[in-house]
Amino acid sequence: MDFLRPASWEEALAAKAEHPTAVPIAGGTDVMVEINFDHRRPDVLLDLNRIGELHDWEVGEDTVRLGASVSYTRIIENLRSVLPGLATASHTVASPQIRNRGGVGGNLGCASPAGDAHPALLASGCEVEVASVRGTRMIPIDEFYVGVKRNALAPDELIRAIHLPRADGPQQFSKVGTRNAMVIAVCAFGIALHPSTRTVRTGIGSAAPTPIRAKAAEEFLAAALEEGGFWDNGKIIPPAVARQFAELVSGAANPIDDVRGSASYRRHALGVMARRTLGWTWDEYRGNERSARCA
Amino acid sequence: MAGTTRTPTNLTQGAKADAGIGASTLRPDGTLKVTGEFAYSSDMWHEDMLWGFTLRSPHAHARILSVDTSDALAQAGVYAVLTHDDLPTEHKKYGLEFTDTPVLADGVVRHHGEPVALVAADHPETARRAAAKIKVEYEELPVVHDEASALAEDAPLLHPGRDDHHAHEVPHPNIVHRQPIIRGDANAAARRADVIVTGEYEVGMQDQAFLGPESGLAVPGEDGGVDLYVATQWLHSDLRQIAPVLGLPEEKVRMTLSGVGGAFGGREDLSMQIHACLLALRTGKPVKIVYNRFESFFGHVHRHPAKLWYEHGATRDGKLTHMKCRIVLDGGAYASASPAVVGNASSLSVGPYVIEDVEIEAVALYTNNPPCGAMRGFGAVQACFAYEAQMDKVAAELGMDPVEFRQLNAMTQGTIMPTGQVVDSPAPVAELLRRVKALPLPPENQWESAGQTADVRALPGGLSNTTHGEGVVRGVGYAVGIKNVGFSEGFDDYSTARVRLEVVAGEPVATVHTAMAEVGQGGVTVHAQIARTELGVQQVTIHPADTQVGSAGSTSASRQTYMTGGAVKNTCEAVRDKALQLGRRRFGTFHPAWATAELLLEGGKVVTDGGEVLADLADVLGDDVVDLELEFRHRPTEAFDIVTGQGFGHVQYSFAAHRAVVEVDTELGLVKVVELACAQDVGKALNPLSVVGQIQGGTTQGLGLAVMEEIIVDPKSKVRNPSFTDYLIPTILDTPTIPVDVLELADDHAPYGLRGIGEAPTLSSTPAVVSAIRAATGLALKRVPVRPEHITGV
Amino acid sequence: MRVTFTVNGREQEADDVWEGESLLYVLRERMGLPGSKNACEQGECGSCTVRLDDVPVCSCLVAAGQVQGREVVTVEGLADQARERGGRATDGTTLDQAKGWQAKPHGAQAAQPGQLAPIQQAFIDAGAVQCGFCTPGLLVAADELLERNSSPTDADIREALSGNLCRCTGYEKILDAVRLAAARQDEVV
């Protein structure tokens, strides 16, 4: 096994071009488990820790550029106001020790359906900046997950940053695990209200071969909100609408039975989380609207 | 919880001064444990040591057609590869009760993860790579995985031609042991019952999940023997099993206890002991073996999963008339402690209640599932979950308060057990229930913080942010249990202590040497306290535990403070007598009290029972050393009759009661245990701080079984979750406040009147939590761990 | 490969490190610092917690090569670190007396009175140590909590320690120990 320690992004890209099978390691919270338990013996480990820019973030007018290695702890501490969905999801990641090391780039690199960041990323509608010696490209999050633990990266590409729209409305994230901390998702759900476009986006984790959106549910809800003038009148969403939204979220999932939970429970729990998180985000939206009107 | 700040005034702090029994003196190993210097078995290191690695079976039941180790041996850095054929003597099996477990697979593997071959190499990675090059050809065989498949007409026999001591009395060779208990006439009594309640219950396979994985270091000796540093619960039992396999006399296998990172029953059987010794003797080099967590799940036995059928009857006025039950324990591929677990499950199946007419049957099966054996609670845990569920059910049927119903039927001192044994020491069952019930309930809706948002840390789901109060319902439940203390059924249970009293630098110093395995329980703390109490000295040194002194028996069955504590007390008394004889010889003529008064050792002096100081102990001893090694036994017990189950089988009983307060997210099926209060009779608290720590720890393991802990075995008998990612134990956010109320009613048969305490809190914790979940949800909940699926019904 | 980094204030070097080795392995097996424990090696128990450039991490999930040139503090360095922070060593008398009957396995040197960090002393005093295997990781995590939050609520303590499993104590005495250390910190100020 070789251990490469590039000091700059350019060096890292060159190394990845030279060793396309090299496994990038940043926080190590997935890769090292595989090595410790003899599930993986890469020829080359490519350490990204030395590349300072991967740990930086920039909050712009409309978007946040989040370096691939920014730790979950930093996201929780610094980006809650601009990326509330991702910050809430980050808080559910494993343990403080893991949150101190792991970052969104790792979640995307592994592309495990159980990664906690995915539902929030899908709900936000972000883009993933990937690069190789051949150049840089932006992959919309909707096109990023291509199979079980497979993503849209070419063998010579590395994830550099995630470009997330600044939250233009309330966002929530919720995950079911059978323990109150340090637990892998049985299933998870993220929702983001986008009042500026009058749309709603969602993300589902651990309930299909890849992280997915519940598009039918999103479309149904957007239409129902539009039709009832809810964005403007800020009324409570009728229970029937919430219920229908929940059922559509549930129906979007394609879960399996495994040691963490049954497929039917996952579907059920997604419905409950969808209904509750919709309630929380809508309450917040109404509260904001009211205070905006009062001001 | 939010907004609560530290409450240092509530702390139970260790006593400032060194003190004798009854004080909360601090752990003698505490400093080393907080600085990181305490040497656990996985910390052992030796110049030039090799790393051992175990190749394990991927199948639960298979014939081994061939093993080719040549490629592995050819690897650079590999020093030895061993298989069954390399075992040095005709003793190729070991076992706790039956000698049925192959050191390395003998042509057949009987469970997933069974050891097949060993590698020693200069680096753990070299050893792993070499093991991967061992070619093993398997032919898979059908598995026996439950009672039906084990007892089917054409069932494969796990151990054909059994010659163990239960072989001739079991109804089927795939039954390890069967223990019926018949007392009175249950059928006749059933006719007096106004209500009859039946139930079927199931307990999943729990793991001890001690944090320090199996590990140790074997160092070959110049005399052809071996020194073994290892984490175990019983050095001498290990020694008895190891030496014959190595072909060495026991004195050439010198065992020293290393730091033990928890045990809970999981180190009662051997794991890597023989393997490390074999590799060390073969290579002539020190060999270290450390299991990782994955391997650890295959490296030790687990708690027996169980299916239990119960029938209880009661009269309208709330008196239990009779009980019938059948308990089927899955023992897995090898016997381990299964026979004794059967004895416990059977004899304690009634619980702490007065029922005169009973019909009981408990069996353990041989299957191809993972071997099961000792775990804290040992057969009593499974029964307690079922009989306590039944108590709630009968009370509900009668329209009675479940606590009052239990109290009405609670056993007391003088109650006759179903085995015919009279309970001849305090049994404050009703009082323990009264105490937990009398505690104030924790405040409601603790997640509502001063701010606007709910504190999710105080809600079901915790940090995962699944509810802000929606769907959350509170429930309260109670349970009480009975556990035996010490080894039962006629076992010659003894412990040994060597105590040396001498003057060092002008001060009398006692050295206590036992083979007791300190696994975290605090035995070393109480031994020093006992020596201080009995010998009146300040300075006590605890000698490392090893096999240079007689057996201490196992650190299990809640027995060590009773047994090795008793042995230390017993030897100290004899040492004191010798010291006083010395005093009489030296100073007897100076004061008449030497001859006439009852003399004590206190504060480094010889004093009369009236308090008069006769001499300094240092002067009494002078240059003499008093050094004695004595055995201590509890009163004898007898085996249970194999047909009727009658017999004075148990030494002592231990009782604890719990009240659980839970909040359940009824829509998602997630549970937050808000408070888990315990009341326990401990006879005499030798170290109150340690007692409370044991009760809280045991309670938490019971909580784990109630809501999350289970090794999942598939129908092909393969373990599906051997990791801390999928075998979940409670975190600090899952564990509630655990108020503990300690009752001290002396047992006159026991040293200082003490009662073994380690296991009882693990029993009643589980059913109390499940009872509370039932109260919150109205569901029957017949199985633990309770999963979200059970609560949501999807 | 060779890896050089600072451990508990001293520069340390390890040679012939296999590239797949973790920081935990290097500390334990190559640097004679077995205080950090190997209980799960998958980031699920916290027993191997160390500070890496001040931040608590699971050392089992840090590749040895990743710590080149960095600073690591382990349980063995807690007392020194506490002294540098200007914290006093706590009540030596208790410890001295406790040492009167200390078990002393081969060659092990117990710390001298006053040589413990406040959090270490608090763990002993509160009865937070049983088997002790989780203790080093918990100490590192709890010490870091008290460094950034001198008066944590119970909920804060629980959250900060939610990555550290303990199988013996039921956590109650661990909470007591952190409360005690925080209270003693207040007394000093």
Side-chain angles (χ1 to χ4, degrees), chain B residues 11-44:
Chain B
L11 297 181
T12 323
Q13 232 183 295
K16 290 280 175 198
D18 289 355
I21 62 159
S24 289
T25 55
L26 302 175
R27 297 186 66 96
D29 54 9
T31 303
L32 291 171
K33 284 180 173 175
V34 299
T35 56
E37 292 163 287
F38 188 77
Y40 293 89
S41 54
S42 56
D43 300 338
M44 296 289 138

Side-chain angles (χ1 to χ4, degrees), chain A residues 37-38 41 88 92 172-175 177-181 184 259-262 264-265 268 275-276 280, chain B residues 125 129 294 461-468 470 665 667-668 670 720 725-726 728-729 734 787-789 794:
Chain A
F37 284 84
D38 209 0
R41 284 289 174 269
T88 307
T92 74
Q172 275 290 352
F173 174 85
S174 189
K175 133 177 161 184
T178 43
R179 187 159 71 178
N180 287 330
I184 293 190
V259 293
R260 292 174 193 151
S262 67
S264 56
Y265 173 75
H268 164 80
R275 181 160 41 76
R276 288 182 182 172
W280 302 337
Chain B
E125 175 67 0
R129 295 278 64 78
F294 174 86
L463 290 174
S464 296
N465 191 40
T466 44
T467 177
H468 296 170
E470 302 93 329
D665 180 338
E667 282 189 293
L668 286 175
L670 302 176
R720 295 191 58 199
T725 307
D726 286 313
L728 302 180
I729 66 173
D734 298 285
R787 298 179 59 93
E789 283 88 344
V794 292

Side-chain angles (χ1 to χ4, degrees), chain B residues 580-581 583-585 587-600 606-615:
Chain B
L580 292 174
Q581 278 171 30
R584 288 193 188 94
R585 256 204 327 265
F587 303 110
T589 54
F590 299 147
H591 197 301
W594 279 102
T596 56
E598 185 81 15
L599 299 181
L600 306 167
V606 178
V607 297
T608 66
D609 53 355
E612 191 181 354
V613 175
L614 298 186

Side-chain angles (χ1 to χ4, degrees), chain B residues 124-172:
Chain B
E125 175 67 0
T126 315
R128 280 191 295 265
R129 295 278 64 78
K133 288 190 187 305
I134 299 173
K135 295 191 199 86
V136 186
E137 207 184 335
Y138 294 99
E139 177 195 326
E140 278 196 73
L141 299 170
V143 298
V144 163
H145 62 95
D146 58 9
E147 188 179 19
S149 57
L151 306 186
E153 203 140 308
D154 57 345
L157 299 185
L158 267 285
H159 301 279
R162 280 172 60 179
D163 59 355
D164 57 80
H165 58 276
H166 287 306
H168 64 281
E169 59 196 31
V170 291
H172 188 286

